[in-house]
Amino acid sequence: MAVATLLDKVKQALGITTDAQDDTISLYINDVKAFMLDAGVPQSVLESDAAVGCITRGVNDLWTYGAGTAKLSEYFKQRVIQLSAGR
């Protein structure tokens, strides 16, 4: 999936309608995708529509916490496990 398309989908899911935070959201998307790859999610799954919800959840987890207090939700972690199994 193209980077711009993923950014648009994440923003839409989070209700973000401006471009003002695109750099920050893109940074979080990259961090979440790196986490998922390191956890064993295949690149083909990571680039598919199946991963968009999980990526969005991870971005939201990072977005909503203050400096030094970010943590990933249980749902995000469980979904990463599912996606790493190719489901």
Side-chain angles (χ1 to χ4, degrees):
M1 176 177 308
V3 174
T5 301
L6 180 57
L7 176 62
D8 287 343
K9 287 183 177 204
V10 169
K11 286 171 54 178
Q12 180 181 10
L14 296 176
I16 299 170
T17 58
T18 70
D19 297 334
Q21 299 297 325
D22 281 6
D23 289 342
T24 301
I25 296 167
S26 294
L27 176 75
Y28 289 156
I29 288 171
N30 291 336
D31 280 349
V32 168
K33 287 175 67 176
F35 179 96
M36 293 171 70
L37 277 172
D38 289 346
V41 176
Q43 185 73 38
S44 60
V45 174
L46 190 63
E47 298 299 329
S48 73
D49 285 337
V52 173
C54 186
I55 292 168
T56 300
R57 180 71 232 183
V59 168
N60 188 61
D61 290 346
L62 298 176
W63 182 267
T64 58
Y65 283 93
T69 61
K71 68 180 192 179
L72 297 167
S73 65
E74 283 301 311
Y75 172 81
F76 171 79
K77 293 179 210 174
Q78 290 173 1
R79 187 67 179 128
V80 168
I81 291 167
Q82 291 172 335
L83 291 171
S84 69
R87 297 184 187 147

